[in-house]
Amino acid sequence: MAKKKVDAVFEGGGVKGIGLVGAVAAIEEAGYVFENLAGTSAGAIVAGLLAVGYGAQRLKEIVGTINYHEFQDKGTLDRLGIPGMLASIITEYGIYEGKFFEKWFGDLLKETGKTKFGDILTDDPREEYKYKLQVIASDISDRKLLVLPRDLKSFKLDPDEFSIARAVRMSMSIPVFFEPVKLEDASGRPHYIVDGGMLSNYPVWLLDDRENCTWPTFGFKLVEPAEQKLKEGEPIPIRNPVDFLSAMLGTMMGAHDSYHISVSKGDYVRTIGIPTVIDVFGGKKEIKTTYFDIKPEETEKLYENGRKAALDFLAKWSFKRWKRKFRSAPATS
């Protein structure tokens, strides 16, 4: 079977990410190979592993056997019960360290020999497509979205040398659950970086700037899309926990105004909608983002939801028809 190129954007969704992997499996079986990849939170995990060379079968083994409780790594304060966790939130802005996840993901990357963004360079001369992977994070200090690695330059960091695991750890740092990652900008001002889903959980727009694209972008989505509109970031100082929580809430409240999923650009048509309600144990059950006690049977059902959703999508998909309706340049496949 002749291989067909496709770009892919993966939505965040915590435990539900196994559904994304099921969809990836069906896309691979249909003869597609992934070119440019982007994702948020759990979507960044899937995109990151694909970007360094993992395939769907290995992804299923990895994501399907995660013990999510291991990601809840506690520091000294956190082990003191509720008072300690509250103290951790007050002093460190989060309960869990995030170190276990970063090491776990980093070890997976080491198996491929690709651990830095400089290891996954593309042949595209344009700066925005220099890297095979783009990860979404939220800078709550400036109330703005970050696209990593390209936005790292404002923090005096070399994107080529930056750890992929570190970037993905930023993208999946659910506020209050995980400590934010702190970066300093060129002026020395600290910025607190958290889960990209606060501002764009489904960045399908990110890979749309390529002129005369000759292959499609598929979106992998776990929930119904929400219309959002772009706005500029604005600085807000973070000096203490009150400032941190205030900035977080302000960012969340403004999230729906930050980016939009466009009907006119055909975003819905190119989106694989993956149901998060499964049929299990004689009834229906909705899998939640933080359902860390997910059972193997439920994991398999969610995986199959993703696979079936992708097969249904492919049965109707036509890149030529989509290009005629939503783009002016002619399609080649």
Side-chain angles (χ1 to χ4, degrees):
M1 180 186 297
K3 295 294 183 180
K4 298 166 285 188
K5 295 181 180 180
V6 66
D7 290 348
V9 176
F10 297 91
E11 185 190 32
V15 174
K16 299 179 290 186
I18 187 64
L20 301 173
V21 178
V24 166
I27 296 301
E28 283 190 356
E29 290 167 11
Y32 285 94
V33 292
F34 293 103
E35 290 293 317
N36 299 290
L37 297 145
T40 300
S41 197
I45 296 174
V46 173
L49 293 176
L50 287 171
V52 299
Y54 281 104
Q57 184 57 45
R58 182 71 175 108
L59 280 182
K60 184 182 180 183
E61 295 170 3
I62 293 169
V63 180
T65 57
I66 291 174
N67 180 351
Y68 292 95
H69 289 292
E70 291 182 331
F71 292 167
Q72 297 172 308
D73 49 345
K74 297 179 180 180
T76 302
L77 286 174
D78 306 319
R79 295 189 178 92
L80 301 177
I82 298 299
M85 289 184 180
L86 290 174
S88 185
I89 293 172
I90 291 171
T91 59
E92 298 173 330
Y93 306 132
I95 299 171
Y96 305 116
E97 304 285 303
K99 294 178 181 177
F100 181 92
F101 170 83
E102 189 170 341
K103 182 181 185 306
W104 170 82
F105 196 77
D107 287 344
L108 290 171
L109 300 180
K110 287 178 183 177
E111 290 183 22
T112 71
K114 300 175 182 177
T115 61
K116 302 177 295 184
F117 280 96
D119 296 326
I120 53 171
L121 297 170
T122 70
D123 296 326
D124 197 311
R126 288 167 295 180
E127 185 66 22
E128 62 267 36
Y129 295 102
K130 181 178 179 180
Y131 306 95
K132 190 175 181 68
L133 172 68
Q134 299 186 62
V135 173
I136 297 294
S138 300
D139 177 356
I140 63 170
S141 300
D142 271 358
R143 295 187 181 183
K144 66 181 290 186
L145 178 145
L146 295 178
V147 179
L148 306 176
R150 68 192 195 210
D151 286 340
L152 290 168
K153 292 180 178 178
S154 62
F155 300 103
K156 302 181 295 184
L157 296 168
D158 180 357
D160 281 6
E161 295 299 316
F162 199 79
S163 162
I164 298 171
R166 187 70 166 167
V168 175
R169 186 266 194 254
M170 292 180 188
S171 185
M172 56 73 66
S173 298
I174 302 172
V176 180
F177 276 85
F178 291 98
E179 295 176 15
V181 174
K182 186 169 75 171
L183 298 177
E184 290 187 355
D185 61 24
S187 68
R189 185 167 71 92
H191 292 246
Y192 292 85
I193 316 301
V194 299
D195 196 315
M198 290 182 65
L199 288 177
S200 185
N201 205 36
Y202 182 53
V204 68
W205 46 269
L206 189 58
L207 301 178
D208 266 353
D209 294 333
R210 287 178 294 112
E211 297 177 1
N212 301 320
C213 178
T214 56
W215 61 83
T217 295
F218 291 166
F220 296 71
K221 199 172 193 324
L222 294 159
V223 294
E224 290 299 317
E227 290 188 358
Q228 301 174 339
K229 184 180 178 182
L230 178 66
K231 75 171 186 179
E232 296 294 329
E234 59 178 354
I236 181 171
I238 295 180
R239 301 171 294 260
N240 54 54
V242 174
D243 288 341
F244 177 82
L245 291 173
S246 176
M248 182 181 71
L249 291 172
T251 304
M252 292 175 71
M253 290 174 64
H256 294 295
D257 296 326
S258 297
Y259 283 91
H260 71 280
I261 297 172
S262 172
V263 176
S264 63
K265 289 185 177 180
D267 290 344
Y268 294 101
V269 179
R270 59 180 172 172
T271 292
I272 301 169
I274 302 166
T276 57
V277 174
I278 59 173
D279 293 307
V280 66
F281 307 127
K284 292 187 179 297
K285 181 174 183 177
E286 182 180 359
I287 303 300
K288 302 291 187 179
T289 299
T290 55
Y291 177 40
F292 298 134
D293 293 313
I294 188 168
K295 300 173 178 61
E297 299 90 344
E298 296 168 334
T299 293
E300 185 63 30
K301 290 285 187 179
L302 193 53
Y303 174 89
E304 288 301 325
N305 275 8
R307 193 171 184 283
K308 182 179 184 304
L311 290 173
D312 291 345
F313 168 84
L314 290 172
K316 302 174 183 176
W317 170 256
S318 167
F319 186 39
K320 288 183 178 180
R321 185 167 59 243
W322 184 87
K323 288 273 290 199
R324 282 197 301 267
K325 185 171 183 180
F326 298 107
R327 298 291 188 274
S328 58
T332 60
S333 62

mmCIF file of all heavy atoms in Angstrom, residues 316-332:
data_model
loop_
_atom_site.group_PDB
_atom_site.id
_atom_site.type_symbol
_atom_site.label_atom_id
_atom_site.label_comp_id
_atom_site.label_asym_id
_atom_site.label_seq_id
_atom_site.Cartn_x
_atom_site.Cartn_y
_atom_site.Cartn_z
ATOM 1 N N LYS A 316 -15.627 8.360 4.960
ATOM 2 C CA LYS A 316 -16.278 9.530 4.353
ATOM 3 C C LYS A 316 -15.285 10.569 3.849
ATOM 4 O O LYS A 316 -15.661 11.478 3.101
ATOM 5 C CB LYS A 316 -17.203 10.191 5.382
ATOM 6 C CG LYS A 316 -18.278 9.271 5.934
ATOM 7 C CD LYS A 316 -19.059 9.969 7.043
ATOM 8 C CE LYS A 316 -20.092 9.041 7.664
ATOM 9 N NZ LYS A 316 -20.805 9.673 8.808
ATOM 10 N N TRP A 317 -14.025 10.451 4.261
ATOM 11 C CA TRP A 317 -13.047 11.500 4.000
ATOM 12 C C TRP A 317 -12.591 11.520 2.546
ATOM 13 O O TRP A 317 -12.300 10.497 1.945
ATOM 14 C CB TRP A 317 -11.827 11.324 4.898
ATOM 15 C CG TRP A 317 -10.677 12.215 4.532
ATOM 16 C CD1 TRP A 317 -9.534 11.870 3.878
ATOM 17 C CD2 TRP A 317 -10.578 13.622 4.788
ATOM 18 N NE1 TRP A 317 -8.719 12.963 3.719
ATOM 19 C CE2 TRP A 317 -9.341 14.059 4.260
ATOM 20 C CE3 TRP A 317 -11.409 14.560 5.413
ATOM 21 C CZ2 TRP A 317 -8.913 15.373 4.355
ATOM 22 C CZ3 TRP A 317 -10.993 15.883 5.501
ATOM 23 C CH2 TRP A 317 -9.759 16.279 4.972
ATOM 24 N N SER A 318 -12.518 12.741 1.986
ATOM 25 C CA SER A 318 -11.919 12.963 0.672
ATOM 26 C C SER A 318 -11.126 14.254 0.735
ATOM 27 O O SER A 318 -11.704 15.332 0.923
ATOM 28 C CB SER A 318 -12.990 13.068 -0.417
ATOM 29 O OG SER A 318 -12.423 13.584 -1.611
ATOM 30 N N PHE A 319 -9.805 14.149 0.617
ATOM 31 C CA PHE A 319 -8.968 15.343 0.663
ATOM 32 C C PHE A 319 -9.262 16.264 -0.519
ATOM 33 O O PHE A 319 -9.304 17.482 -0.383
ATOM 34 C CB PHE A 319 -7.496 14.938 0.676
ATOM 35 C CG PHE A 319 -6.549 16.104 0.865
ATOM 36 C CD1 PHE A 319 -6.854 17.141 1.735
ATOM 37 C CD2 PHE A 319 -5.345 16.151 0.175
ATOM 38 C CE1 PHE A 319 -5.973 18.205 1.923
ATOM 39 C CE2 PHE A 319 -4.466 17.206 0.353
ATOM 40 C CZ PHE A 319 -4.784 18.235 1.225
ATOM 41 N N LYS A 320 -9.493 15.674 -1.695
ATOM 42 C CA LYS A 320 -9.796 16.493 -2.876
ATOM 43 C C LYS A 320 -11.078 17.296 -2.658
ATOM 44 O O LYS A 320 -11.138 18.495 -2.952
ATOM 45 C CB LYS A 320 -9.945 15.606 -4.104
ATOM 46 C CG LYS A 320 -8.640 15.023 -4.617
ATOM 47 C CD LYS A 320 -8.870 14.210 -5.882
ATOM 48 C CE LYS A 320 -7.558 13.668 -6.415
ATOM 49 N NZ LYS A 320 -7.747 12.862 -7.643
ATOM 50 N N ARG A 321 -12.104 16.633 -2.143
ATOM 51 C CA ARG A 321 -13.364 17.323 -1.904
ATOM 52 C C ARG A 321 -13.211 18.405 -0.835
ATOM 53 O O ARG A 321 -13.736 19.509 -0.974
ATOM 54 C CB ARG A 321 -14.426 16.306 -1.486
ATOM 55 C CG ARG A 321 -15.823 16.895 -1.330
ATOM 56 C CD ARG A 321 -16.885 15.811 -1.219
ATOM 57 N NE ARG A 321 -16.660 14.924 -0.098
ATOM 58 C CZ ARG A 321 -16.407 13.633 -0.202
ATOM 59 N NH1 ARG A 321 -16.336 13.040 -1.394
ATOM 60 N NH2 ARG A 321 -16.217 12.882 0.874
ATOM 61 N N TRP A 322 -12.455 18.083 0.208
ATOM 62 C CA TRP A 322 -12.227 19.059 1.276
ATOM 63 C C TRP A 322 -11.470 20.278 0.748
ATOM 64 O O TRP A 322 -11.817 21.414 1.058
ATOM 65 C CB TRP A 322 -11.435 18.394 2.404
ATOM 66 C CG TRP A 322 -11.222 19.272 3.608
ATOM 67 C CD1 TRP A 322 -12.049 19.432 4.678
ATOM 68 C CD2 TRP A 322 -10.091 20.109 3.854
ATOM 69 N NE1 TRP A 322 -11.506 20.306 5.585
ATOM 70 C CE2 TRP A 322 -10.300 20.745 5.096
ATOM 71 C CE3 TRP A 322 -8.918 20.388 3.152
ATOM 72 C CZ2 TRP A 322 -9.385 21.644 5.656
ATOM 73 C CZ3 TRP A 322 -8.008 21.284 3.702
ATOM 74 C CH2 TRP A 322 -8.240 21.893 4.940
ATOM 75 N N LYS A 323 -10.447 20.043 -0.073
ATOM 76 C CA LYS A 323 -9.661 21.149 -0.634
ATOM 77 C C LYS A 323 -10.511 22.024 -1.548
ATOM 78 O O LYS A 323 -10.405 23.254 -1.521
ATOM 79 C CB LYS A 323 -8.462 20.591 -1.418
ATOM 80 C CG LYS A 323 -7.375 20.009 -0.564
ATOM 81 C CD LYS A 323 -6.357 21.014 -0.099
ATOM 82 C CE LYS A 323 -5.483 21.523 -1.197
ATOM 83 N NZ LYS A 323 -4.240 22.142 -0.744
ATOM 84 N N ARG A 324 -11.353 21.404 -2.352
ATOM 85 C CA ARG A 324 -12.206 22.189 -3.245
ATOM 86 C C ARG A 324 -13.136 23.108 -2.462
ATOM 87 O O ARG A 324 -13.385 24.239 -2.862
ATOM 88 C CB ARG A 324 -13.032 21.264 -4.149
ATOM 89 C CG ARG A 324 -12.285 20.665 -5.320
ATOM 90 C CD ARG A 324 -13.228 20.110 -6.373
ATOM 91 N NE ARG A 324 -14.092 19.079 -5.823
ATOM 92 C CZ ARG A 324 -13.802 17.775 -5.854
ATOM 93 N NH1 ARG A 324 -12.659 17.364 -6.388
ATOM 94 N NH2 ARG A 324 -14.647 16.892 -5.343
ATOM 95 N N LYS A 325 -13.623 22.614 -1.360
ATOM 96 C CA LYS A 325 -14.604 23.382 -0.590
ATOM 97 C C LYS A 325 -13.964 24.423 0.320
ATOM 98 O O LYS A 325 -14.498 25.526 0.475
ATOM 99 C CB LYS A 325 -15.462 22.431 0.250
ATOM 100 C CG LYS A 325 -16.591 23.135 0.997
ATOM 101 C CD LYS A 325 -17.533 22.125 1.632
ATOM 102 C CE LYS A 325 -18.700 22.845 2.318
ATOM 103 N NZ LYS A 325 -19.643 21.875 2.942
ATOM 104 N N PHE A 326 -12.808 24.092 0.912
ATOM 105 C CA PHE A 326 -12.266 24.955 1.955
ATOM 106 C C PHE A 326 -10.911 25.590 1.622
ATOM 107 O O PHE A 326 -10.435 26.447 2.356
ATOM 108 C CB PHE A 326 -12.111 24.163 3.256
ATOM 109 C CG PHE A 326 -13.400 23.636 3.783
ATOM 110 C CD1 PHE A 326 -13.699 22.280 3.698
ATOM 111 C CD2 PHE A 326 -14.350 24.481 4.354
ATOM 112 C CE1 PHE A 326 -14.892 21.775 4.186
ATOM 113 C CE2 PHE A 326 -15.538 23.986 4.849
ATOM 114 C CZ PHE A 326 -15.822 22.640 4.749
ATOM 115 N N ARG A 327 -10.267 25.187 0.534
ATOM 116 C CA ARG A 327 -9.007 25.778 0.126
ATOM 117 C C ARG A 327 -9.030 26.003 -1.371
ATOM 118 O O ARG A 327 -9.674 25.293 -2.120
ATOM 119 C CB ARG A 327 -7.819 24.848 0.485
ATOM 120 C CG ARG A 327 -7.661 24.576 1.962
ATOM 121 C CD ARG A 327 -7.215 25.822 2.727
ATOM 122 N NE ARG A 327 -6.893 25.479 4.101
ATOM 123 C CZ ARG A 327 -7.795 25.434 5.081
ATOM 124 N NH1 ARG A 327 -9.069 25.678 4.838
ATOM 125 N NH2 ARG A 327 -7.400 25.141 6.319
ATOM 126 N N SER A 328 -8.243 26.979 -1.820
ATOM 127 C CA SER A 328 -8.239 27.297 -3.248
ATOM 128 C C SER A 328 -7.211 26.496 -4.027
ATOM 129 O O SER A 328 -7.377 26.262 -5.217
ATOM 130 C CB SER A 328 -7.954 28.794 -3.442
ATOM 131 O OG SER A 328 -6.710 29.144 -2.840
ATOM 132 N N ALA A 329 -6.111 26.070 -3.356
ATOM 133 C CA ALA A 329 -5.062 25.338 -4.055
ATOM 134 C C ALA A 329 -5.532 23.929 -4.389
ATOM 135 O O ALA A 329 -6.258 23.308 -3.617
ATOM 136 C CB ALA A 329 -3.800 25.266 -3.190
ATOM 137 N N PRO A 330 -5.149 23.389 -5.540
ATOM 138 C CA PRO A 330 -5.593 22.044 -5.924
ATOM 139 C C PRO A 330 -4.945 20.958 -5.086
ATOM 140 O O PRO A 330 -3.801 21.071 -4.677
ATOM 141 C CB PRO A 330 -5.141 21.936 -7.384
ATOM 142 C CG PRO A 330 -3.976 22.855 -7.483
ATOM 143 C CD PRO A 330 -4.289 24.013 -6.569
ATOM 144 N N ALA A 331 -5.687 19.915 -4.806
ATOM 145 C CA ALA A 331 -5.129 18.774 -4.072
ATOM 146 C C ALA A 331 -4.412 17.845 -5.035
ATOM 147 O O ALA A 331 -4.712 17.801 -6.221
ATOM 148 C CB ALA A 331 -6.268 18.023 -3.368
ATOM 149 N N THR A 332 -3.441 17.086 -4.515
ATOM 150 C CA THR A 332 -2.707 16.151 -5.362
ATOM 151 C C THR A 332 -2.999 14.707 -5.013
ATOM 152 O O THR A 332 -2.461 13.808 -5.632
ATOM 153 C CB THR A 332 -1.193 16.392 -5.213
ATOM 154 O OG1 THR A 332 -0.815 16.187 -3.841
ATOM 155 C CG2 THR A 332 -0.835 17.811 -5.627
#
